[in-house]
């Protein structure tokens, strides 16, 4: 066995071997894979081999598309037949809400180039003549996917990797790893040690055990997945005799199962309620290529639904029930990217659709390792999207929920209930009594909207305007007309101190670091390609002291980036103070009148100008960092306070605000308000895929300040031309076919003269303007104000036109008042 390699991949399933293959394909031939037993010995060997292209995530959709395209080429490259049956994939819809889900997905499919067709019941019958269609309202058909043999696929990838110089060692379990001061790793095995630069963990069901070797609590736990394999049926035998093609993989989403042909019989794979998580405390040594006993009783509701849909299913005997572990994460998406808090360690774990994702996740992770950045934005699958709250018990509960929810309708604003509430701000109960309808972000409970007396506290999910539409509008108008209070305690907050603090931050962000105490700047940390990886508000607290604020969802993501870039000489200290400080946003025309009543500080415009910070007292609470900035575009402050004073501050503001029309405002109204101002949101409008220039944030870039990460790429882009432009659109949305109107949300394709020229990243009905707005990236030739475009919303096109930035208060007069 080799004693040195550039990368060691741990795990010989489809995902691990794909990672090895793509590392070698990118030119890193000095790479090794270690497998504890045999290739495919984990979940790969018992996987059903389905390749569904359907996914609502822009990132996961691209991962799956690449995989399907790659798998069609592997036999020609490696000589290994992968048994790819390109049968197509048929998703049935029994109601209009399901059809809306498919239509919403179609926008994403168009933006990433996935072929599909929306078809009616008669077309379904032609594709699946043995299927009952009378109750269907339509279906989504993918002609290019199907199913594959997982073991053959893995072997083909292994051949391709070996052909490029990679080496695979079976029967070689990893027992530990030691990191050297240089950052290199020594990987320990019973067969000897290997020194390497990078380690990739792709261990499937063993993810938590592998992570523990590195001090990580990886949020991936398997769930039992069953599928039924039947005996052959005469009708399917006859179809084969006639030379008829294999029918498409059938998915009845509303009954939560898939079905496909298998050796003239059928496979039925339900996603049932009550499927338990397994191996919560680790995979026992005795479990190898084994299965759990089948539990037919648990599957019976889905069996009965399958019989109603495909009557021949009742006429075949059960040959086998395959019940094996499949790794899951709390949101059902995998963990692909850097591990947190450990250098040169990478994860490719948590794959519940591992065969579909293996190709793409292997490619994009290999790009990240070899080239420093992946070619697409992988935020949706980044392992750092979770925090310490995602512990073993939380993950068990959420993974069982994720499994049960595979086939539910996934709405843009959906909130899943299991494992909640987890993290709450001190005033949670007071907000709850005030009618909060809760959402969750990074484990934090946050009010999405407030139900006034007489209004039911419940979300009615839809892809169209729904029960909370009017209430969100009421809150958005309240903040524009009087003033509102938002609990944003979930914000991520860091303190950076030390003699090297300014130089350290200056190297990481594109904007200048504030020079005067009490001043702040909006700053972006970029990738080496100029894409936006993080957004910070940086405030200078004192000499060599800075306060950084970023998205609540970015807490571990941003901390990890800041930590991994700290100087090694001890000149900079980094501290996460998120849990030590709460945040209230007080904003609106009457915000100053409210604040004046609770503080002795002078908060006049002259004494406390826009984009400045002062430490003030509010009632008995001292050390309140009042930042005159907000994400809603009104006169107002963010009040960052010691968490122990939150009740006192809240009560004081509510009491003082009673005469000024102060009301509570939730996250959905904040979304309305920020889009009315064309404010970009990190993770939606600001991503790695678009540069800070493409995002139209030139005013926050100082190319002449000296070197910073991404500067060279921005200079090149400035010289060669900006490929995309960020625009605000006014959209003529209307109700059609007797159904409520549907506003854009994100991932809607845009067209000019019938040609796709961009995609929306956010959208909303702007209640204070009385019209629908969207924000989007488009080709430069259609970015001029007044340009007429079309936007596709739920498979229908609506007129749209480019308007000037910040439709609400474009001069920022209200902010500066």
């Amino acid at each position: 066995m080799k004693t040195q390699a550039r990368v060691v991949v741990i795990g010989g399933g489809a995902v691990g071997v794909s990672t090895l293959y793509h590392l070698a394909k990118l030119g890193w031939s000095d790479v090794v894979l270690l497998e504890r037993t045999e290739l495919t010995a984990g979940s790969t060997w018992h996987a059903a081999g389905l390749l569904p292209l359907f996914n609502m995530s822009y990132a996961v959709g691209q991962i799956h598309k690449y995989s399907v395209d790659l798998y069609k080429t592997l036999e020609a490259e490696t000589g290994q037949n992968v048994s790819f049956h390109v049968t197509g994939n048929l998703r049935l819809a029994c109601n209009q809400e399901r059809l809306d889900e498919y239509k919403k997905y179609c926008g994403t499919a168009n933006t990433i180039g996935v072929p599909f067709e929306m078809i009616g019941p008669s077309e379904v019958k032609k594709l699946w003549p043995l299927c009952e269609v009378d109750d269907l309202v339509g279906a989504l058909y993918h002609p290019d996917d199907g199913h594959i043999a997982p073991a053959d696929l893995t072997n083909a990838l292994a051949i391709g990797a070996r052909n490029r110089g990679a080496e695979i060692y079976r029967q070689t379990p990893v027992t530990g790893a030691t990191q050297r001061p240089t950052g290199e790793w020594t990987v320990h095995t019973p067969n000897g040690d290997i020194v390497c630069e990078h380690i990739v963990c792709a261990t499937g069901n063993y993810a938590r055990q592998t992570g523990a070797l590195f001090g990580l609590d990886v949020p991936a736990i398997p769930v039992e997945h069953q599928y039924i394999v039947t005996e052959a049926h005469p009708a399917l035998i006859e179809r084969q005799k006639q030379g008829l093609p294999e029918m498409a993989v059938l998915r009845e989403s509303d009954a939560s199962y898939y079905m496909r042909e298998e050796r003239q019989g059928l496979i039925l794979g339900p996603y049932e309620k009550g499927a338990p998580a397994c191996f919560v405390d680790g995979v026992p040594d005795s479990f190898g290529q084994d299965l759990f006993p089948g539990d037919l009783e648990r599957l019976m509701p889905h069996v009965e639904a399958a019989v109603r849909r495909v009557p021949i299913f009742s006429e075949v005997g059960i040959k086998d029930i395959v019940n094996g572990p499949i790794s899951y994460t709390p949101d059902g998406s995998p963990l692909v990217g850097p591990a947190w808090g450990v250098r040169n360690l990478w994860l490719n774990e948590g794959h519940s659709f591992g065969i579909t994702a293996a190709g793409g996740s292997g490619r994009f992770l290999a790009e990240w390792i070899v080239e420093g950045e992946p070619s697409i934005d992988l935020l949706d699958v980044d392992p750092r999207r979770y925090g310490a709250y995602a512990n073993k018990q939380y993950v068990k509960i959420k993974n069982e929920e994720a499994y049960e929810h595979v086939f539910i309708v996934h709405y843009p604003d959906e909130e899943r209930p299991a494992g909640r509430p987890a993290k709450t701000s001190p005033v949670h109960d007071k907000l709850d009594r005030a009618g909060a309808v809760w959402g969750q972000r990074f484990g934090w409970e946050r009010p999405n909207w407030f139900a006034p007396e007489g209004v039911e506290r419940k979300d009615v999910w839809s892809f169209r305007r729904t029960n909370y539409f009017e209430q969100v509008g009421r809150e958005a108008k309240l903040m524009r007309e009087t003033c509102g209070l938002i609990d944003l305690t979930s914000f991520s907050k860091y303190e950076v101190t030390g003699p090297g603090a300014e130089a350290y931050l200056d190297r990481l962000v594109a904007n200048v670091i504030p020079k005067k105490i009490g001043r702040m700047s909006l700053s972006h940390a970029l990738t080496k390609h100029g894409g936006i990886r993080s957004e910070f508000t940086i405030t200078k607290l004192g000499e060599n002291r800075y306060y950084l604020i970023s998205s609540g969802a970015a807490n571990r993501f941003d901390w990890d980036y800041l930590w991994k870039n700290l100087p090694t000489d001890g000149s900079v200290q980094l501290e996460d103070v998120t849990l030590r400080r709460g945040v209230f946003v007080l904003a609106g025309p009457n915000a100053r009148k409210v604040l004046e009543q609770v503080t002795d500080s002078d908060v006049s415009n002259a004494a406390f100008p826009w984009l400045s910070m002062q430490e003030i007292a509010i009632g008995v609470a001292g050390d309140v960092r009042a930042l005159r900035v907000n994400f809603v575009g009104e006169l107002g402050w963010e009040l960052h306070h010691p968490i122990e004073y939150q009740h006192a501050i809240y009560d004081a503001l509510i009491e003082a605000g009673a005469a000024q029309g102060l009301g509570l405002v939730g996250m959905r109204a904040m979304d309305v308000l920020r889009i009315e101002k064309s404010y970009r949101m990190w993770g939606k409008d600001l991503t790695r895929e678009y540069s800070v220039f493409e995002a139209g944030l030139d005013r926050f870039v100082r190319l002449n300040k000296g070197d910073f990460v991404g500067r060279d790429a921005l200079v090149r882009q400035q010289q060669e031309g900006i490929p995309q432009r960020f625009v605000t659109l006014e959209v003529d949305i209307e109700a059609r076919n007797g159904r409520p109107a549907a506003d854009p949300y994100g991932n809607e394709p845009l067209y000019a003269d019938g040609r796709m020229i961009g995609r929306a990243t956010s959208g909303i009905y702007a209640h204070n303007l009385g019209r629908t707005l969207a924000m989007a990236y488009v080709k430069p030739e259609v970015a001029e104000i007044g340009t007429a475009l079309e936007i596709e919303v739920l498979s229908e096109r609506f007129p749209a036109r480019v308007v000037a930035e910040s439709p609400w208060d474009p001069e920022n007069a209200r902010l500066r008042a």
Side-chain angles (χ1 to χ4, degrees):
M1 190 173 74
K2 294 179 70 167
T3 58
Q4 191 139 2
R6 200 158 192 184
V7 183
V8 167
V9 178
I10 308 173
V15 171
V17 179
S18 173
T19 306
L20 186 77
Y21 168 86
H22 283 94
L23 286 166
K25 196 172 184 178
L26 287 174
W28 281 22
S29 58
D30 184 17
V31 290
V32 164
L33 183 143
L34 305 179
E35 164 53 40
R36 59 184 295 275
T37 56
E38 299 291 337
L39 297 186
T40 79
S43 295
T44 298
W45 78 269
H46 62 76
L50 302 181
L51 301 172
L53 286 167
F54 180 88
N55 199 286
M56 301 296 276
S57 163
Y58 182 63
V60 177
Q62 292 177 90
I63 289 171
H64 288 189
K65 180 182 185 300
Y66 172 80
S67 294
V68 171
D69 292 343
L70 169 70
Y71 298 165
K72 293 174 181 176
T73 69
L74 284 177
E75 183 175 2
E77 177 192 335
T78 67
Q80 169 70 55
N81 181 3
V82 296
S83 303
F84 193 161
H85 294 236
V86 185
T87 62
N89 173 16
L90 191 57
R91 287 179 179 265
L92 308 181
C94 300
N95 54 69
Q96 290 297 327
E97 282 298 297
R98 181 67 68 179
L99 208 59
D100 277 352
E101 179 188 40
Y102 295 166
K103 290 176 179 178
K104 178 70 178 78
Y105 160 77
C106 290
T108 301
N110 277 329
T111 61
I112 61 180
V114 173
F116 67 88
E117 299 173 34
M118 292 294 292
I119 62 176
S122 60
E123 289 87 356
V124 172
K125 191 69 174 178
K126 291 176 184 176
L127 289 166
W128 244 92
L130 303 178
C131 173
E132 298 296 321
V133 300
D134 291 347
D135 62 332
L136 299 181
V137 298
L140 171 66
Y141 177 54
H142 282 111
D144 286 0
D145 65 21
H147 61 92
I148 200 167
D152 294 342
L153 167 65
T154 306
N155 287 329
L157 291 166
I159 292 168
R162 287 188 179 110
N163 288 345
R164 291 178 169 85
E167 297 189 25
I168 296 174
Y169 300 110
R170 298 169 298 163
Q171 301 296 328
T172 309
V174 173
T175 57
T178 306
Q179 194 159 34
R180 301 179 172 192
T182 60
E184 289 182 310
W185 290 97
T186 301
V187 180
H188 308 297
T189 83
N191 301 331
D193 293 346
I194 302 180
V195 176
C196 62
E197 294 177 37
H198 300 272
I199 296 175
V200 178
C201 299
T203 56
N205 298 325
Y206 294 83
R208 294 193 74 249
Q209 287 159 280
T210 311
L213 297 176
F214 303 94
L216 300 178
D217 189 2
V218 176
I221 290 175
V223 177
E224 291 185 20
H225 174 58
Q226 303 186 88
Y227 60 86
I228 296 170
V229 185
T230 76
E231 305 285 355
H233 189 279
L236 298 173
I237 294 171
E238 182 60 28
R239 283 181 61 85
Q240 187 185 50
K241 286 181 180 177
Q242 294 178 17
L244 295 173
E246 183 180 340
M247 292 180 289
V249 177
L250 184 72
R251 285 178 166 82
E252 186 174 359
S253 302
D254 297 301
S256 194
Y257 70 79
Y258 62 80
M259 181 185 288
R260 71 168 177 86
E261 292 186 56
E262 173 71 9
R263 300 180 184 275
Q264 291 77 62
L266 295 167
I267 285 180
L268 176 73
Y271 285 84
E272 75 276 20
K273 293 183 179 180
C278 54
F279 305 146
V280 175
D281 293 312
V283 184
D285 292 338
S286 59
F287 193 93
Q289 281 189 312
D290 299 317
L291 295 171
F292 304 113
D295 187 348
L296 184 59
E297 183 178 350
R298 205 168 72 217
L299 303 183
M300 283 310 297
H302 307 279
V303 170
E304 292 164 1
V307 168
R308 290 191 295 270
R309 182 65 58 198
V310 181
I312 68 165
F313 192 73
S314 67
E315 301 168 6
V316 288
I318 294 177
K319 185 163 63 177
D320 198 6
I321 299 178
V322 177
N323 184 7
I326 301 288
S327 189
Y328 264 81
T329 66
D331 62 7
S333 290
L335 309 167
V336 184
W340 61 94
V342 186
R343 291 181 172 87
N344 300 333
L345 180 67
W346 306 80
L347 303 183
N348 206 345
E349 302 281 20
H351 287 274
S352 52
F353 293 89
I355 304 304
T356 320
S361 64
R363 173 200 168 175
F364 297 120
L365 184 60
E367 288 178 347
W368 210 336
I369 296 169
V370 174
E371 299 171 0
E373 288 292 334
S375 56
I376 66 170
D377 182 67
L378 291 179
L379 185 61
D380 285 357
V381 297
D382 195 300
R384 297 165 295 182
R385 69 186 186 274
Y386 294 108
Y389 66 91
N391 56 30
K392 179 177 70 174
Q393 187 59 27
Y394 176 90
V395 174
K396 175 187 179 297
I397 294 168
K398 295 299 287 186
N399 287 12
E400 291 173 346
E401 178 189 56
Y403 181 89
E404 181 183 325
H405 283 198
V406 164
F407 275 117
I408 69 162
V409 176
H410 293 288
Y411 297 102
D413 286 339
E414 90 174 308
E415 298 284 354
R416 301 184 186 184
R420 296 174 54 196
K423 294 157 64 177
T424 60
S425 65
V427 296
H428 173 273
D429 289 351
K430 290 178 177 178
L431 298 176
D432 195 62
R433 289 193 293 272
V437 181
W438 295 96
Q440 178 272 144
R441 188 77 160 164
F442 201 71
W444 287 99
E445 293 293 316
R446 308 189 307 180
N448 278 335
W449 59 283
F450 289 85
E453 190 173 347
V455 173
E456 186 179 11
R457 291 176 59 189
K458 180 182 178 182
D459 281 323
V460 178
W461 304 118
S462 179
F463 294 92
R464 301 170 185 273
R465 296 175 188 170
T466 185
N467 71 314
Y468 48 81
F469 178 79
E470 290 185 8
Q471 303 307 327
V472 170
R474 174 184 57 79
E475 293 174 19
K477 290 179 179 179
L478 178 145
M479 190 157 257
R480 296 279 189 234
E481 294 169 1
T482 55
C483 55
L485 187 69
I486 305 175
D487 179 9
L488 278 178
T489 296
S490 59
F491 267 164
S492 299
K493 314 162 203 86
Y494 315 92
E495 290 188 9
V496 177
T497 58
E502 181 179 351
Y504 158 73
L505 292 172
D506 198 49
R507 172 86 175 93
L508 292 186
V509 301
N511 204 351
V512 292
I513 305 303
K515 304 300 181 185
K516 294 182 179 179
I517 294 172
R519 301 303 294 181
M520 68 181 70
S521 66
L522 185 65
S523 303
H524 300 89
L526 310 181
T527 71
K528 70 175 188 177
H529 302 301
I532 299 171
R533 70 156 330 280
S534 298
E535 182 178 64
F536 298 104
T537 299
I538 301 178
T539 303
K540 187 166 184 176
L541 299 177
E543 290 306 318
N544 303 320
R545 288 184 64 216
Y546 298 88
Y547 185 51
L548 276 61
I549 308 160
S550 67
S551 167
N555 183 252
R556 178 173 275 175
F557 182 85
D558 284 340
W559 178 87
D560 188 62
Y561 182 72
L562 293 168
W563 176 78
K564 285 177 178 173
N565 281 279
L566 283 173
T568 58
D569 60 4
S571 63
V572 180
Q573 290 77 49
L574 171 67
E575 188 174 9
D576 184 349
V577 297
T578 299
L579 300 181
R580 287 174 24 202
R581 288 196 174 265
V583 181
F584 290 133
V585 174
L586 174 69
N590 294 347
R592 181 177 285 117
K593 295 177 182 177
V594 175
L595 193 57
E596 285 173 335
Q597 295 179 59
V598 298
T599 185
D600 293 332
S601 298
D602 185 350
V603 296
S604 67
N605 198 41
F608 203 149
W610 185 39
L611 298 181
S612 67
M613 184 280 298
Q614 294 183 24
E615 293 186 354
I616 66 173
I618 294 180
V620 298
D623 189 25
V624 177
R625 294 173 184 170
L627 283 69
R628 195 169 158 198
V629 67
N630 59 73
F631 201 46
V632 300
E634 289 293 331
L635 167 68
W637 286 263
E638 288 180 6
L639 304 171
H640 294 243
H641 50 271
I643 199 78
E644 62 270 23
Y645 285 112
Q646 186 163 89
H647 281 289
I649 293 171
Y650 176 85
D651 292 344
L653 291 172
I654 292 295
E655 182 179 357
Q660 304 300 332
L662 178 69
L664 297 172
V665 174
M667 303 310 297
R668 295 211 182 105
M670 190 177 80
D671 210 35
V672 171
L673 296 163
R674 66 102 182 171
I675 293 175
E676 290 177 344
K677 286 291 294 176
S678 299
Y679 287 168
R680 288 80 154 149
M681 179 176 283
W682 175 83
K684 287 197 72 174
D685 312 300
L686 305 179
T687 73
R688 279 187 171 97
E689 288 193 27
Y690 303 103
S691 78
V692 69
F693 285 161
E694 289 177 288
L697 299 176
D698 311 46
R699 61 192 181 279
F700 301 112
V701 177
R702 298 292 184 270
L703 290 177
N704 61 355
K705 72 167 189 169
D707 192 30
F708 58 87
V709 177
R711 182 186 181 280
D712 292 347
L714 294 183
V715 171
R716 285 195 303 272
Q717 193 172 82
Q718 201 174 54
Q719 294 168 346
E720 296 169 3
I722 313 299
Q724 302 278 332
R725 292 290 184 181
F726 191 84
V727 297
T728 301
L729 302 170
E730 186 177 288
V731 184
D732 296 333
I733 289 291
E734 61 182 5
R736 293 181 180 175
N737 304 315
R739 305 200 66 207
D743 298 300
Y745 182 83
N747 282 342
E748 290 84 10
L750 296 161
Y751 299 88
D753 300 322
R755 178 174 59 96
M756 193 168 74
I757 46 76
R759 72 178 185 102
T761 53
S762 290
I764 208 80
Y765 182 78
H767 291 269
N768 293 290
L769 298 167
R771 56 187 184 269
T772 295
L773 298 178
M775 300 196 294
Y777 287 93
V778 300
K779 295 186 181 301
E781 61 267 24
V782 296
E784 294 299 317
I785 293 173
T787 303
L789 305 172
E790 286 186 304
I791 186 170
E792 180 185 310
V793 180
L794 299 187
S795 295
E796 295 191 77
R797 295 190 187 182
F798 296 88
R801 63 205 145 271
V802 180
V803 297
E805 181 112 335
S806 187
W808 179 266
D809 186 26
E811 302 301 322
N812 288 333
R814 298 167 71 96
L815 283 166
R816 301 171 188 270

